[in-house]
Amino acid sequence: MVRLMGRSWAQSTRTPHRPPGQRGPDEGGSRRRRFGKLRSALSGRSVAGQVFVLQVVIVLLLVVSAVVALVLQVRHDSTLEAHNRSLAVAETFANAPGTVAALRSPDPTALLQPKAEAARKAAEVDFIVVMNTDGIRYTHRYPDRIGKKFVGDISPGLAGRSITEEITGTIGPLVQAVVPVKAPDGTVVGLVSAGITTANVGGVADRQLPLLLAAAGAALALATAGTALVSRRLLRQTRGLGPYEMTRMYEHHDAVLHAVREGVIIISGEGRLLLANDEAHRLLDLPKDAEGRLVRELGLDSDIADLLDSGRVATDEVHLVGDRLLAVNQRATELQGGPSGSVATLRDSTELRALSGRAEVARERLKLLYDAGVGVGTSLDVTRTAEELAEVAVPRFADFVTVDLAEAVLSGEEPETVGRLRRTASSGIRADAPLYPVGEQITLVATSPQARSISTGESLVEPDLSKATGWLAQDLERSAKVVEYGIHSLITVPLRVGPLVMGVANFWRSEKPEPFDVEELTLAEELVARAAVSIDNARRYTREHTMAVTLQRSLLPRNLPEQTALDIAYRYLPAQAGVGGDWFDVLPLSGARVAVVVGDVVGHGLHAAATMGRLRTAVHNFSSLDLPPDELLGLLDELVGRLDQDEEESGAAVTGATCLYAIYDPTSRTCTVARAGHPPPALVRPDGHVEFPEVPAGPPLGLGGLPFETVDLVLEEGSRLVLYTDGLVEDRERDIDVGLEMLRTALTGADRSPEDTCRAVLDSLLPARPSDDIALIVARTHALGPDRIADWQVASDPAAVGEVRASVTRQLAQWGLDDMAFATELILSELVTNAIRYGNGPIEVRVLRDRSLICEVFDGSSTSPHLRYAATTDEGGRGLFLVAQLAERWGTRYTPAGKVIWAEQPLPPDAQP
């Protein structure tokens, strides 16, 4: 491989020979391209580029270090020279003849200043200062500084020692020497200081610096040129490859030689074997010293040797080499500008053909398991999940599949014992197999494979059913028919999740003559194990769903109360995916009025159903107070808010709900409606026209803070009021606006009964699998005619009570209710007397004949009377007690103008409307 690479590089960089002075037509462009490639290769990504950069950096560091060292050395030598010169000048001047005498003269400055300046200029120093022992200058370069204090340390000089120091003086940073001037007796009579400033000290170094930099630049240029020549040579050898590419080339070379499970051989143009990897050595049985030898000398079969020596193109040619069938692919190497020769790959198709059959079987089995994982358990229905298991295995694994489950599993329970099964699912390649049909109850014989599989929890294989005595004993007649039909082999696998066994799955074979084997038993176990989890999930869901539906059904009204104001029809459909909190109710009120309510609790499951029951109970209690719809919704809102607060503190999900509450009065044909976040009601007029009245929505229950508003609707007799929950008009695939328009279309039409209306609505809007509960109520209105209503205005005078009794007696006689006159007179006497005595005018009496006889007394007071037990000595206080004894029900309701006290008496059976 290395020799081939070297030859390839050499040939690829070789240029055609031309006479001197002659240029090819593209030689200039070639040179530019080579220069561009060189510049790109030296950019740092290739090995040559990285070596070039590294060498240039090293040379640059060496040059810079040398320049810095020379500059520092020059400056050190200059400073040392300054120390020596200043000391020598100071000592020479201090020991000069006449210096001592001048210091002792009356005017030392006159004698010493000219000498000091002459000496300074001659010695090329910046100053020579002569001073007395107190440091007062006698001489200085600048005369204005004579007589001033010397800057520096003179204590060593006074002690008789010379000193050199670097300080900042009056003329700037400098190097100065201080030398004592001694008398013949050794006494210090003065001091001499000579110094040079730092600017003059560094001047020498600065004058030498250009020379140093020029020398460094020349060295750097020479080193860079040499490095470039070396890098160019390295670039030609590595062909511009970087370290990563060269490492990968070595790894690929090693992988081709040792790791590739396909033979690779490289042959030169002369027919010589240049490279063969380990797999090629194995497939062709090559000798160890094969590389470098001619192909025809390797002892190969003539067929394969001719192909390799020819170098022609070959694609998946099959050649017999020994006992192997080799698929050979061969391509020439010079097609891409490389050296002459060819590359061939060898693949052992003998082993591949043997493996391909097993691989195909394994692939089919994996595909079956994948399809089972996707296709089994798509619904939470036990029966449907069993059917999916049977369908996915036919005909890919078995010719017939049956699934038998315990009865308890079908109802969602855990079976205590599995002795009797019911055939739940069956699938096969034909429909006439004499196996037990779906729905058949099967009592297992203890010796049957199914019974043994259930008792042991292990799968069993019956390779030959005609000899399986235990299976034949299950049903002698049917078993004989099964064998005669051609079914000859069986696998039975228990449907088990942990210790729970729910039934068995049976796989039957008839088409293939071979019986089921151990590998197929393992596949069946894996298939059933996945399906068993889905069946158990469906069983658990069935149990929980049954419990939730049972709870919900127990909380909803089972029978509607008797009343004559509305003809009611309703439908309630729980969701398929889980029980929700939709609810409805019909509540008779005083004065022949009827309340219709429908609501929806957010969420699904037992919690939503329980919350629905609490709200329905609350509506029952609040309706007994005869509250208007807006006030009743306000109380419900407070209740839901408290429930939410309790749920938040306990960490449970917060409850939300919507509600619509309507009160219909048949005496005035007025329907008062209020809603809290609920869809609006639909109103079908007697002529069949449908409209959705504008009822203010109000916030959902539990939000609080906002009041609810009511709307009064005047309904013609025979109108249909339709209340519903959002599950009817809205789902994942349908917007609520589309649902409302569909509802309008379904309701359109006159002369429909409430039952027919419910049926038409569900036929049009009910989805195949409702994702939410659906509650629907259709109420057709009736009016209480004037012939069944009697009312009188009563003056605020106790004498008017007698007139009321007489009027009521006459009215009851017209209605044929003479037997009720006595009790009615007593009731009205007490109620009217209380209104005259304790209430405010105006006072009105109204008697209604409905399913009961209703007596109502209106007055303008908001004070409600209370029932009490009078003592034996009390003269009064027994009026309401008598009313309660005579009436079936009585109570008080408030109106915007005051209150109404009412009492109901049951009508005789022959007087019922």
Side-chain angles (χ1 to χ4, degrees):
M1 183 69 175
V2 175
R3 291 195 298 270
L4 178 63
M5 290 170 57
R7 292 182 61 188
S8 174
W9 292 335
Q11 293 183 11
S12 64
T13 55
R14 190 179 302 151
T15 56
H17 175 73
R18 294 187 183 91
Q22 182 179 353
R23 298 179 58 184
D26 194 34
E27 187 172 349
S30 300
R31 289 180 178 178
R32 288 192 295 272
R33 285 193 296 271
R34 286 198 298 270
F35 177 75
K37 291 181 180 179
L38 175 63
R39 183 174 56 186
S40 175
L42 294 180
S43 62
R45 289 189 296 270
S46 65
V47 172
Q50 293 183 9
V51 170
F52 174 76
V53 172
L54 181 61
Q55 289 179 336
V56 169
V57 170
I58 293 174
V59 171
L60 181 62
L61 290 176
L62 292 175
V63 170
V64 170
S65 300
V67 170
V68 171
L70 289 174
V71 169
L72 293 177
Q73 183 63 39
V74 169
R75 290 194 174 184
H76 176 267
D77 293 345
S78 299
T79 304
L80 182 61
E81 175 65 20
H83 279 263
N84 294 334
R85 187 189 303 180
S86 61
L87 181 61
V89 171
E91 287 178 345
T92 301
F93 197 89
N95 297 321
T99 302
V100 174
L103 288 171
R104 291 179 174 177
S105 66
D107 190 4
T109 298
L111 297 175
L112 295 175
Q113 176 67 12
K115 295 180 179 181
E117 283 301 301
R120 179 185 68 80
K121 295 177 180 179
E124 295 183 351
V125 295
D126 288 305
F127 67 89
I128 297 177
V129 174
V130 182
M131 68 196 85
N132 61 15
T133 56
D134 293 329
I136 303 301
R137 298 188 187 100
Y138 289 146
T139 65
H140 198 277
R141 179 178 180 178
Y142 302 106
D144 60 338
R145 298 180 184 179
I146 295 174
K148 295 182 180 179
K149 187 73 174 181
F150 177 74
V151 179
D153 185 13
I154 63 174
S155 57
L158 295 177
R161 300 192 309 274
S162 300
I163 184 175
T164 304
E165 59 182 350
E166 297 178 14
I167 64 169
T168 301
T170 57
I171 60 175
L174 51 88
V175 178
Q176 67 180 12
V178 178
V179 177
V181 180
K182 297 180 180 180
D185 59 359
T187 304
V188 177
V189 297
L191 300 169
V192 176
S193 176
I196 303 175
T197 60
T198 303
N200 291 332
V201 171
V204 176
D206 293 341
R207 287 189 297 272
Q208 295 177 352
L209 184 59
L211 180 60
L212 292 176
L213 292 178
L220 179 60
L222 292 175
T224 302
T227 300
L229 293 176
V230 174
S231 298
R232 182 176 180 181
R233 177 63 180 174
L234 182 61
L235 177 65
R236 294 179 60 187
Q237 294 297 322
T238 61
R239 299 182 63 85
L241 296 177
Y244 176 70
E245 288 82 1
M246 295 188 69
T247 302
R248 288 188 61 190
M249 179 182 292
Y250 171 77
E251 292 173 349
H252 294 170
H253 176 268
D254 189 73
V256 169
L257 287 178
H258 307 295
V260 174
R261 303 310 301 166
E262 193 170 90
V264 178
I265 58 177
I266 301 177
I267 302 168
S268 68
E270 296 82 15
R272 195 175 299 276
L273 180 64
L274 299 179
L275 180 141
N277 68 349
D278 295 348
E279 186 68 6
H281 275 271
R282 184 181 73 86
L283 295 177
L284 297 177
D285 195 19
L286 297 175
K288 294 183 178 180
D289 60 345
E291 294 184 0
R293 297 170 56 183
L294 294 175
V295 172
R296 294 192 176 276
E297 298 176 356
L298 298 177
L300 300 176
D301 294 341
S302 59
D303 188 21
I304 188 70
D306 291 342
L307 172 63
L308 297 179
D309 186 58
S310 67
R312 65 179 176 82
V313 175
T315 302
D316 286 336
E317 287 190 11
V318 179
H319 295 266
L320 180 62
V321 179
D323 58 349
R324 299 179 183 275
L325 288 175
L326 301 183
V328 182
N329 289 274
Q330 184 168 266
R331 296 291 184 275
T333 57
E334 68 268 14
L335 296 178
Q336 300 298 328
S340 61
S342 61
V343 176
T345 61
L346 312 171
R347 186 174 66 253
D348 190 352
S349 62
T350 306
E351 297 179 359
L352 290 177
R353 288 184 181 182
L355 291 174
S356 61
R358 294 196 296 270
E360 181 64 21
V361 173
R363 188 190 68 81
E364 287 294 333
R365 292 179 177 179
L366 289 175
K367 183 66 166 55
L368 174 61
L369 291 177
Y370 171 78
D371 292 343
V374 174
V376 178
T378 59
S379 67
L380 292 174
D381 182 81
V382 174
T383 301
R384 180 56 193 155
T385 304
E387 292 173 350
E388 291 170 344
L389 169 60
E391 293 168 357
V392 77
V394 176
R396 299 158 65 181
F397 177 67
D399 298 321
F400 301 92
V401 177
T402 58
V403 180
D404 306 327
L405 298 176
E407 293 281 359
V409 174
L410 296 174
S411 59
E413 302 298 328
E414 293 186 3
E416 296 181 0
T417 59
V418 186
R420 302 181 66 182
L421 302 176
R422 184 173 296 277
R423 179 132 302 172
T424 308
S426 177
S427 180
I429 58 176
R430 295 188 298 273
D432 58 346
L435 300 171
Y436 286 116
V438 173
E440 182 86 9
Q441 193 174 50
I442 306 171
T443 302
L444 297 178
V445 177
T447 59
S448 66
Q450 291 84 354
R452 287 185 287 132
S453 179
I454 290 173
S455 61
T456 61
E458 298 179 355
S459 305
L460 296 175
V461 179
E462 289 289 353
D464 190 353
L465 292 178
S466 63
K467 299 178 181 179
T469 57
W471 174 77
L472 293 171
Q474 173 67 39
D475 188 334
L476 294 176
E477 182 180 356
R478 186 180 295 274
S479 299
K481 292 180 179 179
V482 170
V483 173
E484 184 181 355
Y485 185 79
I487 298 176
H488 59 82
S489 185
L490 164 68
I491 291 179
T492 179
V493 183
L495 284 158
R496 184 180 63 181
V497 177
L500 176 64
V501 178
M502 300 173 289
V504 291
N506 305 298
F507 302 88
W508 313 82
R509 174 170 287 178
S510 64
E511 295 296 313
K512 292 183 179 180
E514 302 86 6
F516 287 113
D517 56 24
V518 177
E519 292 184 0
E520 290 170 324
L521 175 64
T522 303
L523 175 61
E525 290 175 340
E526 180 68 21
L527 190 63
V528 173
R530 299 188 180 193
V533 175
S534 299
I535 291 177
D536 186 54
N537 290 338
R539 179 191 64 81
R540 294 172 181 271
Y541 171 78
T542 300
R543 180 183 60 187
E544 295 182 2
H545 186 266
T546 302
M547 292 172 56
V549 169
T550 302
L551 172 62
Q552 188 180 42
R553 292 291 187 187
S554 66
L555 296 176
L556 289 171
R558 300 183 181 181
N559 296 303
L560 296 182
E562 296 181 352
Q563 45 82 33
T564 58
L566 297 172
D567 289 338
I568 301 290
Y570 67 92
R571 296 288 188 276
Y572 183 84
L573 300 174
Q576 294 289 333
V579 175
D582 291 13
W583 54 284
F584 67 93
D585 224 327
V586 178
L587 307 170
L589 303 178
S590 63
R593 298 171 305 135
V594 179
V596 183
V597 59
V598 64
D600 185 3
V601 176
V602 175
H604 294 82
L606 294 176
H607 180 72
T611 303
M612 175 269 290
R614 299 166 77 177
L615 292 182
R616 180 170 176 256
T617 301
V619 171
H620 269 268
N621 294 332
F622 294 152
S623 66
S624 64
L625 301 177
D626 261 331
L627 298 174
D630 55 340
E631 294 185 19
L632 185 140
L633 291 181
L635 294 176
L636 278 182
D637 182 58
E638 294 181 7
L639 173 63
V640 175
R642 290 195 298 270
L643 293 178
D644 287 348
Q645 185 176 2
D646 294 341
E647 298 295 349
E648 272 188 297
E649 293 175 355
S650 64
V654 176
T655 302
T658 64
C659 183
L660 187 147
Y661 189 81
I663 297 178
Y664 175 67
D665 188 349
T667 62
S668 61
R669 295 183 287 104
T670 301
C671 184
T672 304
V673 186
R675 62 189 181 111
H678 201 80
L683 179 60
V684 185
R685 299 291 181 180
D687 59 359
H689 175 70
V690 180
E691 61 184 70
F692 293 94
E694 292 292 336
V695 180
L701 298 177
L703 295 183
L706 295 176
F708 299 96
E709 300 181 48
T710 60
V711 171
D712 292 333
L713 307 175
V714 179
L715 309 181
E716 299 93 335
E717 185 172 8
S719 299
R720 283 170 286 164
L721 186 66
V722 182
L723 309 182
Y724 52 90
T725 55
D726 58 357
L728 180 67
V729 296
E730 184 180 18
D731 60 19
R732 296 186 184 94
E733 300 178 356
R734 184 173 61 205
D735 189 70
I736 188 171
D737 293 332
V738 177
L740 290 176
E741 192 59 35
M742 294 175 64
L743 178 61
R744 182 195 299 274
T745 303
L747 292 174
T748 302
D751 298 330
R752 277 186 184 174
S753 66
E755 283 290 339
D756 292 339
T757 304
C758 287
R759 190 177 302 109
V761 169
L762 293 183
D763 289 344
S764 299
L765 280 80
L766 183 63
R769 294 184 61 83
S771 59
D772 195 4
D773 291 5
I774 295 175
L776 172 65
I777 302 176
V778 179
R780 184 168 58 189
T781 62
H782 293 286
L784 199 62
D787 58 331
R788 301 171 67 182
I789 302 174
D791 56 351
W792 303 274
Q793 297 293 328
V794 181
S796 297
D797 184 359
V801 176
E803 297 177 3
V804 171
R805 286 201 301 266
S807 299
V808 168
T809 301
R810 289 192 296 271
Q811 185 63 52
L812 292 179
Q814 293 178 10
W815 287 342
L817 302 176
D818 300 280
D819 294 341
M820 302 182 67
F822 177 74
T824 305
E825 288 179 8
L826 286 178
I827 291 173
L828 286 177
S829 295
E830 292 298 332
L831 296 181
V832 172
T833 300
N834 282 341
I836 293 173
R837 182 178 298 175
Y838 303 109
N840 299 325
I843 300 173
E844 181 182 353
V845 174
R846 187 172 71 167
V847 180
L848 307 177
R849 182 185 176 184
D850 193 32
R851 298 185 62 85
S852 60
L853 186 65
I854 304 171
C855 299
E856 297 178 332
V857 178
F858 299 79
D859 70 76
S861 172
S862 60
T863 302
S864 176
H866 296 281
L867 177 66
R868 69 186 182 89
Y869 293 93
T872 56
T873 58
D874 291 343
E875 295 182 0
R878 298 177 179 84
L880 288 181
F881 181 77
L882 291 175
V883 171
Q885 295 298 314
L886 296 173
E888 185 179 42
R889 294 194 310 153
W890 76 280
T892 304
R893 72 173 182 269
Y894 294 94
T895 66
K899 70 175 182 297
V900 180
I901 303 177
W902 55 270
E904 292 185 5
Q905 302 174 74
L907 294 178
D910 57 351
Q912 291 288 338

